[in-house]
Amino acid sequence: MNGHPKNFNSNSTDRSLQSMAVSQRQRLQKSRLVWVRGLILPTLLLILWEILVRVGVFPSNLLPAPSTIVFTLLDLAISGELFHHIVITLYRIFLGFFIGSALATILGSLTGYSRSIHQLLDPLLQALRNIPSLAWVPLFVLWMGIYETSKIALIAVGVFFPVYLSLMSAVQGVDRKLVEVGKVYRLNGLQLIRRVFLPAALPEYIVGLRSGLGLGWMFVVAAEIIGANQGLGFLLTDGETTGRPDVVIASILLFAVLGKLTDMGLVVIGKRLLKWQDTYTSRK
Amino acid sequence: MLKINSVSKQFNNRFTALESIDLQVYPGEIISIVGTSGCGKSTLLRIISGLDFPTSGSVYIHDQPITAPHPEIGIIFQEPRLMPWLNVWENVQFGLYNQSKAGKERVTQETLAKVGLTEFSELLPRELSGGMAQRVAIARALVTKPSILLLDEPFSALDAFTRLKMQEHLLKLWEYDRPTMILVTHDIEEALVLSDRAIVMRGNPGHIHQDFTLNLPRPRKRTDTNFQYWRELLLSNLDLSTTERVIIK
Ligand SMILES: Nc1ncnc2c1ncn2[C@@H]1O[C@H](COP(=O)(O)OP(=O)(O)OP(=O)(O)O)[C@@H](O)[C@H]1O
Ligand SMILES: [Mg+2]
């Protein structure tokens, strides 16, 4: 519409502004519609599933109906059992996440910042990273017993590597020009890391934290399946041993929901911290 | 006083960017360094700032050799180099970390007022125009009250009109504390408007070709016949052939 001489006529400009506002409203409604559209197929599948189980096409002792799963969840919730398991699992994941990401933050910023520390530490850490983390389980159990410590250590290991790797490479990639500003004001190494490198590395760091948290959820399941008498992973295996597929599916669903919620938490925190970013998506 | 003593700089042990530079800069003096692209102006400024080191020779401030960035030397780069996550106020305060909070606030306030950005202290760098961002960078450099201010083509990214205003502005700011200023510029008129001395550098390898003392009355007028005379003189002293060589290379 730019460049058309008739737009210099204020009347028609008004009108084009109006039509812009209208089209914006329409677009908003459309995006809401898109969201609803995404729900159509899952809902239909759920209904189909319910019907097929009720009719007897799926054996209900192997694949319970959605309604059964909802009732199972309600039962577990009412007895207080569910809350207990969720709290335990959240406790483990938060503690493991905290320890793993704290260590990764310290080591990642040091190896990213200092070439000599990088030469010293990074080869070892990369070698350790190549050990499939579940291979640590027997060793951790031997060292720390089968209770909380070994589980949290396993989760911390899982969280550590993605956070470490992303922070290190982000710090290495920080703009020399900004670092020089820090140097001109004679910041020492730690001040430089805190005031220049870490803020500049924040966007990648948050992505690292998110993938770390995702791995944390994977490892909490592993740790709780391997040996636990409480927690959502335990609920999962308990459902298996007692032949209750509804409990298994309910736990899987809970993992999905909790995983999504914690990730959304990180996304929200990240958005707040990165308000300053001048990226294509931050300009609207 | 700043003394540059037979400073040479080689990159990668082969390429000579600077060859035995000798220069003395007196307190409160404004000197301009002009020269064709690639003749080593930025390299010289980076060595004075302590961000880079000479291969031989030294730079002395108060008779002490500079081996690292010096608290009395401030620098303004060609780009504003603001921390994108800090707002204007915080960016200006960036270099003021070992002072009392009250003192910090006061001097920040003062300096922001000097550069005329008081109302914009909450803005983020991405919300600033190029000229505003460069004024923030100037405020950040001034806030620590440096006795020597290095400026590497500070206005070259600005449009002609903004550049004129910024030159005026810089002179006004200079009036407050009269720091020594070393200004690298491509713009001969800028050098003539601002400085007491104009150093003409030439490249291959980078050396000082001429050191002119500009005895032009202030405020400088671009239309002055003397001004025009100096303009021609400086232009004729620039070794424009090196530019071509650089381009061919
Ligand atoms: N880090 C470096 N490594 C190798 N060579 C460099 C480095 N920095 C600068 N040079 C070389 O040194 C010479 C002088 O560079 P310098 O940036 O000082 O030029 P300049 O006079 O500031 O040019 P301009 O006016 O274009 O900014 C150039 O030939 C450049 O290629
Ligand atoms: Mg330069």
Side-chain angles (χ1 to χ4, degrees), chain A residues 40-185:
Chain A
I40 296 174
L41 205 55
T43 316
L44 283 180
L45 283 176
L46 275 179
I47 293 172
L48 190 69
W49 176 3
E50 182 81 36
I51 293 171
L52 289 178
V53 175
R54 292 269 173 107
V55 174
V57 178
F58 293 161
S60 64
N61 60 334
L62 292 182
L63 187 63
S67 56
T68 318
I69 294 165
V70 172
F71 284 123
T72 307
L73 270 172
L74 279 178
D75 277 349
L76 286 167
I78 289 165
S79 71
E81 212 182 322
L82 188 63
F83 182 71
H84 177 69
H85 290 307
I86 290 178
V87 167
I88 285 286
T89 298
L90 282 180
Y91 158 77
R92 285 172 183 151
I93 195 144
F94 280 137
L95 198 58
F97 179 71
F98 178 77
I99 294 172
S101 51
L103 277 175
T105 304
I106 296 170
L107 292 179
S109 40
L110 286 177
T111 51
Y113 167 69
S114 152
R115 196 180 290 186
S116 52
I117 295 180
H118 186 270
Q119 286 160 350
L120 195 71
L121 280 181
D122 192 61
L124 175 68
L125 289 173
Q126 295 303 340
L128 291 178
R129 190 169 76 90
N130 284 315
I131 300 173
S133 306
L134 288 182
W136 291 107
V137 172
L139 202 58
F140 283 2
V141 170
L142 275 180
W143 285 348
M144 301 174 237
I146 57 163
Y147 298 109
E148 291 309 307
T149 324
S150 62
K151 293 190 182 57
I152 286 164
L154 184 67
I155 297 165
V157 168
V159 171
F160 177 85
F161 287 106
V163 180
Y164 168 78
L165 203 63
S166 63
L167 182 59
M168 177 189 71
S169 72
V171 166
Q172 283 177 335
V174 170
D175 189 357
R176 168 185 63 83
K177 294 179 173 165
L178 293 186
V179 179
E180 280 179 358
V181 172
K183 291 204 164 150
V184 165
Y185 291 106

Side-chain angles (χ1 to χ4, degrees), chain A residues 176-188 191 195-197 199-200 275-279 282-283, chain B residues 46 51 69-71 73-75 77 79 81-85 93-95 97 124 126-127 140-141 144:
Chain A
R176 168 185 63 83
K177 294 179 173 165
L178 293 186
V179 179
E180 280 179 358
V181 172
K183 291 204 164 150
V184 165
Y185 291 106
R186 287 160 299 114
L187 304 188
N188 63 33
Q191 289 168 323
R195 300 189 57 199
V196 181
F197 282 103
K275 266 198 200 129
W276 50 267
Q277 263 190 315
D278 190 11
T279 57
S282 72
R283 283 254 163 141
Chain B
R46 288 175 60 82
L51 285 173
H70 191 279
I73 299 182
I75 183 160
F77 299 96
E79 330 78 32
R81 301 199 183 184
L82 304 178
M83 303 293 151
W85 54 90
Q93 282 197 334
F94 186 82
Y97 47 99
L124 286 167
R126 69 177 161 98
E127 298 167 308
R140 178 178 64 190
T144 56

Side-chain angles (χ1 to χ4, degrees), chain B residues 38 40-43 78 152-153 184 186:
Chain B
K41 306 179 296 291
S42 296
T43 306
Q78 181 169 352
D152 191 357
E153 299 183 29
V184 166
H186 269 134

Side-chain angles (χ1 to χ4, degrees), chain B residues 169-187:
Chain B
H169 215 86
L170 186 68
L171 271 183
K172 280 202 196 112
L173 289 172
W174 176 79
E175 290 285 340
Y176 286 99
D177 297 312
R178 301 204 167 222
T180 309
M181 293 210 291
I182 303 179
L183 169 77
V184 166
T185 177
H186 269 134
D187 181 346

Side-chain angles (χ1 to χ4, degrees), chain A residues 27-47:
Chain A
R27 222 177 303 140
L28 232 109
Q29 281 167 353
K30 226 184 214 168
S31 73
R32 233 172 270 150
L33 268 182
V34 167
W35 196 71
V36 173
R37 209 182 285 161
L39 286 179
I40 296 174
L41 205 55
T43 316
L44 283 180
L45 283 176
L46 275 179
I47 293 172

